[in-house]
Amino acid sequence: MSDQGARPNKGRGRGRGNETRGRGAPSGRGRGTQQRQTQAPPGRGQRPATSSGLEEDFPRLGASTPTRPAWGKPAPVSEPQKVVEQTVAEQIPPMPEPIKESVLISKDEEEEEEEKPSQIIKQEFPKKPAMRGSEGRPIKLRTNHYRLDLKNSFTVYQYDVEMKRKSAKSDQDKLISNKTLMRKMFQVLQTKLPNEYKNKIVYNFSKNLFSLIKLPFETSATYELNVENSVFLITLKTINQVTVEKNFYQPLEIQILDLILTHNLNYSCINVNRSFFKEGNDRFELGFGLELWKGAYSSVRPSELGLTWNVDSANAAFLLCQDLIELAKYHYNCDINSLRNAILSDKKEGIIGYSFVEDYKNREIKTKTGGFRKKIKGFGPDPVSYKFEWNKPDGTKKTVTVADYLKQHYNINLRYANLPCIDLGRANYLPMELCSTELKNKKKLDDKETQAMIRKTAVPAADRMKYIDQWTKNSNINQDPVLKEYKIDVNLRMVEVDGRVLEPPDVQYKAQKMPSKTIGEKGQWDHRNSKFYQSIKIEKWIVLNFAFRVKNEALNSFINALINIGDKHGIWFEDPLDVINETRRMDDNQTKTIVTKIMDKYKGIQLIVVIFGGTTNAYKIVKTQGDLISGIATQGVEDRNVNRISDQTISNILLKINCKVGGTNFVLSRENRQLIFFFIKFKNCKEI
């Protein structure tokens, strides 16, 4: 009798031979009254499918770190990062002599700086060993780096920048932080300086400005600028001189070189963090009022090879520039004849058009009359019924409607005078047809938008390399007048490095070895008939179904497949403690409440298998409450993989489950373990 045959049957039909481990038979494990079923109302909406057939990694980038990690272990306490602020003294000392290295000094250390010399740490790169490895087939690899050539060392003058909007009282001047406005102010400032400064000044559109020659003042100067019919003040204060040497680079020097390389890109492209996007180029419709723009990431990097320009493909979603009427029609899913009623009936908390305002309250509204930009506060009366007192250019006053004012002052005849005006705040009302939204990068995408973006941006490595190389050449970086002034050249051929393709290792399972010859070039092999190296017995687990499209029969078949294929891999599943159906329409708070109650009820269980497909943000909520707070392993499955069962998909799900509950799927054979570092290092390289 085999070990498997000696197992107790436990009344579940878990025998071998002609017996099957069924869940639907009356004498087996049918769901009967065990399930708690809450049917979804017919015709209701559904949650969009996630981007992968299996669950995705979590937490995502940018997500806050929970107070408790998976498996209930206390989270390590990380010390807060210390930020060194550069301050400008009220009285600036005379210009110092040029220095060879930059030194960042905190406010608390200024007094100590005068007494003891600063310690300069030279940035050196570890040398590669003289004896290189010899395993594998040698190849050449192209990297997305381009060599930078500094003809000579140079010295720049560093200045602190402060920009304010001028008001009647000097103590009420308002600081400017809008980068678009800062760029325009800097352009106007350059017109006030002599021609000898042209292309010699670079600015990070924040607090730091660098010039190749000294500006025409000693310690500080304030310039008055007229930008967009407003008066602004820009104050420059001398900070330091910095020498950028040809073969010696500190962080500040790298920052300066970065500014030099990308200064003009800020005017020809839209800048999002370190990435640059050109209007009109490489744009794709994502739907949902969004466009996908392709651009490039840019960064100067020091390396063993010297300075390089690191360029990578970048993607961003932008909210479209649209007339407000078209945007409202899209939002309310109606035509122009029904738009008025749709807006007026959408009222909550005293705000007309509440859902529209909530969705677009952070969008800047650009007007076609004055060109000024405001944010929408709500909707008001229509332009025919609303009257105000107009101060006419001849000094007289007249009470007019908005429609009459636009006709008499701007000669504009309204086409849709019945639509409510946009409330721009302080009783400023403007007809919808005279407003449009400004172009804006959307940083946070929902599940549907993320899925659409991934479909557009997932490209093979060869296509990505071709795009990067083409973008770099089209940038005409070597014709940039700023780089010419600083005598910097870019070699437009990708840097090549040596690499080696190693033979795939033998993979060891519990009772068999997967020889390297069965492993394909992409590192893939079939493990469906292999027992895991160390499998775990799962005695306490539950199934939680959020997908209204998954019915009882399909759910029973899926659990049967999980148990039976688990047997083949050596995983012993007991019957699930419970199978819970929560398929009604729920918001995030309801989902969180249900998940929290389930976690509290089944404390100490090993696993929760969750079927997704109908609840907004259910994935994030389950992962946060389960893996990160309660310390319970969770495995997500899409509803389509439950309704259409595939042995390969089930086997892949079991790979993840076994790891999450503490098992080991396979190991490298003993003779191949010494090569593991090299596989990690080179697994994503592409041969030329």
Side-chain angles (χ1 to χ4, degrees):
M1 182 178 293
S2 65
D3 292 340
Q4 291 178 338
R7 285 182 178 175
N9 197 356
K10 301 190 180 182
R12 303 187 301 167
R14 193 187 174 102
R16 293 296 180 262
N18 295 327
E19 293 183 14
T20 59
R21 189 173 177 182
R23 291 173 50 83
S27 59
R29 297 165 58 190
R31 297 274 43 89
T33 59
Q34 186 178 356
Q35 291 178 307
R36 300 201 301 273
Q37 175 70 32
T38 305
Q39 291 293 341
R44 67 171 178 81
Q46 63 186 50
R47 181 180 183 269
T50 54
S51 59
S52 172
L54 301 176
E55 65 181 62
E56 52 189 308
D57 293 334
F58 188 89
R60 294 179 178 172
L61 291 178
S64 59
T65 304
T67 56
R68 188 178 181 187
W71 317 119
K73 298 179 182 178
V77 180
S78 57
E79 296 183 2
Q81 184 178 3
K82 296 181 179 179
V83 179
V84 180
E85 296 182 355
Q86 191 171 21
T87 59
V88 180
E90 294 181 359
Q91 295 183 354
I92 306 297
M95 180 70 72
E97 293 297 323
I99 59 176
K100 296 297 183 182
E101 298 87 8
S102 64
V103 182
L104 296 179
I105 306 172
S106 65
K107 187 173 181 180
D108 297 334
E109 295 172 345
E110 288 180 353
E111 296 180 359
E112 298 179 15
E113 176 64 18
E114 298 177 357
E115 300 177 0
K116 61 180 183 180
S118 61
Q119 294 181 352
I120 306 300
I121 301 175
K122 186 174 180 179
Q123 186 171 2
E124 296 182 348
F125 297 95
K127 296 187 179 300
K128 290 185 177 179
M131 295 296 295
R132 307 294 176 89
S134 57
E135 293 284 341
R137 172 170 56 89
I139 58 170
K140 288 288 185 181
L141 297 168
R142 288 180 185 169
T143 66
N144 55 332
H145 286 254
Y146 300 84
R147 291 180 189 267
L148 293 182
D149 180 22
L150 273 66
K151 301 298 183 183
N152 300 297
S153 301
F154 57 86
T155 300
V156 293
Y157 298 83
Q158 182 182 5
Y159 298 89
D160 175 78
V161 182
E162 185 179 78
M163 295 183 175
K164 292 182 177 181
R165 186 185 297 272
K166 188 177 180 180
S167 63
K169 297 181 180 180
S170 59
D171 59 346
Q172 295 180 357
D173 293 343
K174 185 178 179 181
L175 284 171
I176 301 299
S177 59
N178 184 285
K179 291 189 180 295
T180 301
L181 184 56
M182 286 179 163
R183 291 188 185 98
K184 293 179 179 179
M185 291 175 66
F186 178 72
Q187 284 182 307
V188 176
L189 172 66
Q190 286 182 305
T191 63
K192 291 184 172 289
L193 297 173
N195 195 53
E196 62 183 300
Y197 292 94
K198 187 177 182 180
N199 298 320
K200 293 182 175 67
I201 302 175
V202 294
Y203 176 41
N204 71 346
F205 307 104
S206 183
K207 291 290 289 179
N208 287 293
L209 182 145
F210 301 91
S211 175
L212 195 57
I213 56 178
K214 186 178 178 182
L215 296 181
F217 56 83
E218 288 300 322
T219 57
S220 66
T222 300
Y223 297 88
E224 188 172 291
L225 311 174
N226 289 308
V227 181
E228 295 184 343
N229 301 322
S230 298
V231 180
F232 297 89
L233 300 175
I234 178 170
T235 301
L236 304 176
K237 294 182 181 180
T238 303
I239 297 178
N240 204 354
Q241 283 179 262
V242 183
T243 297
V244 180
E245 291 190 3
K246 188 173 181 180
N247 298 310
F248 179 68
Y249 310 106
Q250 290 289 315
L252 183 57
E253 280 80 345
I254 298 297
Q255 178 188 350
I256 294 168
L257 291 167
D258 228 339
L259 290 176
I260 293 170
L261 210 66
T262 60
H263 179 78
N264 280 330
L265 285 175
N266 281 284
Y267 291 100
S268 61
C269 304
I270 293 175
N271 176 228
V272 179
N273 297 325
R274 284 178 170 265
S275 299
F276 298 89
F277 303 88
K278 285 191 176 181
E279 286 195 68
N281 290 354
D282 298 304
R283 298 163 67 170
F284 306 94
E285 285 283 345
L286 284 179
F288 326 108
L290 291 174
E291 276 188 344
L292 168 68
W293 288 23
K294 291 195 71 175
Y297 165 90
S298 169
S299 177
V300 173
R301 301 282 181 172
S303 70
E304 187 189 53
L305 303 173
L307 277 179
T308 63
W309 183 30
N310 178 214
V311 182
D312 199 358
S313 60
N315 303 280
F318 285 85
L319 294 157
L320 301 178
C321 290
Q322 287 183 307
D323 289 337
L324 212 60
I325 287 181
E326 293 301 317
L327 202 62
K329 286 163 58 180
Y330 174 83
H331 176 83
Y332 288 108
N333 191 25
C334 66
D335 57 19
I336 189 67
N337 297 322
S338 307
L339 185 57
R340 174 185 171 88
N341 290 335
I343 294 173
L344 296 179
S345 60
D346 179 21
K347 187 174 182 180
K348 185 178 178 181
E349 298 177 4
I351 299 175
I352 299 173
Y354 179 83
S355 65
F356 184 87
V357 174
E358 281 297 300
D359 284 353
Y360 298 99
K361 63 184 177 183
N362 293 322
R363 295 287 304 274
E364 285 190 336
I365 303 298
K366 185 178 181 180
T367 63
K368 298 178 182 178
T369 51
F372 59 88
R373 296 171 178 81
K374 298 286 185 178
K375 290 186 177 180
I376 182 173
K377 305 296 182 183
F379 288 89
D382 62 66
V384 177
S385 61
Y386 181 73
K387 296 181 179 181
F388 69 100
E389 193 174 68
W390 175 27
N391 293 320
K392 300 179 69 176
D394 59 5
T396 61
K397 296 183 178 181
K398 183 181 179 181
T399 300
V400 294
T401 65
V402 173
D404 290 338
Y405 168 77
L406 293 170
K407 173 63 178 175
Q408 296 176 34
H409 191 60
Y410 292 101
N411 195 28
I412 295 176
N413 291 310
L414 297 178
R415 296 177 58 194
Y416 307 107
N418 67 317
L419 294 178
C421 290
I422 291 294
D423 181 2
L424 299 175
R426 298 182 180 179
N428 289 320
Y429 298 104
L430 203 65
M432 291 180 66
E433 60 190 274
L434 299 184
C435 299
S436 61
T437 56
E438 284 281 83
L439 183 71
K440 183 180 180 181
N441 169 234
K442 187 175 182 181
K443 297 179 180 178
K444 188 175 181 180
L445 304 180
D446 62 26
D447 290 340
K448 256 187 180 177
E449 294 163 350
T450 301
Q451 189 179 23
M453 189 167 181
I454 290 173
R455 280 198 297 263
K456 293 284 188 181
T457 57
V459 296
D463 294 346
R464 186 174 175 183
M465 181 187 73
K466 183 179 178 181
Y467 174 82
I468 293 169
D469 217 28
Q470 193 62 46
W471 189 94
T472 305
K473 290 177 172 60
N474 291 343
S475 68
N476 296 320
I477 194 70
N478 283 325
Q479 280 68 54
D480 191 312
V482 174
L483 267 72
K484 289 183 177 181
E485 289 289 344
Y486 284 84
K487 295 180 173 55
I488 299 174
D489 285 336
V490 181
N491 185 334
L492 295 180
R493 180 177 172 81
M494 283 186 170
V495 172
E496 293 184 2
V497 296
D498 295 325
R500 287 174 290 115
V501 179
L502 302 179
E503 291 298 323
D506 297 333
V507 177
Q508 182 67 52
Y509 283 88
K510 183 174 183 179
Q512 70 180 106
K513 181 188 291 185
M514 188 74 66
S516 59
K517 63 182 180 181
T518 63
I519 298 177
E521 291 183 359
K522 296 183 179 180
Q524 298 174 343
W525 64 92
D526 189 351
H527 64 267
R528 281 178 290 180
N529 296 317
S530 303
K531 287 191 179 295
F532 294 146
Y533 186 81
Q534 180 187 2
S535 53
I536 301 298
K537 183 177 180 180
I538 301 177
E539 299 177 297
K540 297 180 180 180
W541 65 295
I542 63 173
V543 178
L544 174 58
N545 177 30
F546 284 119
F548 72 94
R549 288 172 293 190
V550 175
K551 306 305 179 185
N552 286 350
E553 184 178 353
L555 190 57
N556 287 338
S557 298
F558 171 77
I559 297 175
N560 272 332
L562 205 63
I563 293 173
N564 291 328
I565 297 175
D567 277 345
K568 297 179 181 179
H569 290 304
I571 301 177
W572 175 273
F573 278 98
E574 295 286 354
D575 280 339
L577 299 177
D578 201 355
V579 177
I580 305 168
N581 283 288
E582 290 290 351
T583 57
R584 66 183 184 277
R585 193 186 188 96
M586 295 182 290
D587 59 25
D588 289 354
N589 290 331
Q590 291 173 315
T591 305
K592 185 176 180 180
T593 300
I594 289 171
V595 171
T596 303
K597 287 181 179 178
I598 293 172
M599 299 291 178
D600 291 340
K601 180 179 179 181
Y602 293 102
K603 285 182 178 179
I605 64 174
Q606 295 168 274
L607 175 71
I608 302 178
V609 176
V610 187
I611 317 299
F612 295 110
T615 306
T616 304
N617 292 326
Y619 178 86
K620 296 178 182 178
I621 294 169
V622 167
K623 286 295 182 182
T624 302
Q625 297 297 318
D627 295 71
L628 301 176
I629 295 177
S630 301
I632 301 173
T634 60
Q635 176 61 48
V637 184
E638 280 192 4
D639 53 1
R640 60 188 176 92
N641 292 324
V642 176
N643 287 326
R644 188 176 62 253
I645 295 174
S646 161
D647 286 1
Q648 183 64 60
T649 301
I650 298 294
S651 187
N652 289 337
I653 292 172
L654 289 166
L655 273 173
K656 304 183 79 173
I657 288 176
N658 192 51
C659 284
K660 290 178 179 180
V661 296
T664 303
N665 296 330
F666 55 82
V667 296
L668 298 182
S669 62
R670 186 176 300 276
E671 58 271 19
N672 291 120
R673 291 178 193 175
Q674 59 186 357
L675 300 178
I676 188 170
F677 169 77
F678 300 103
F679 275 98
I680 293 172
K681 185 175 182 63
F682 289 108
K683 67 177 180 179
N684 291 321
C685 290
K686 182 171 181 64
E687 184 177 359
I688 295 172

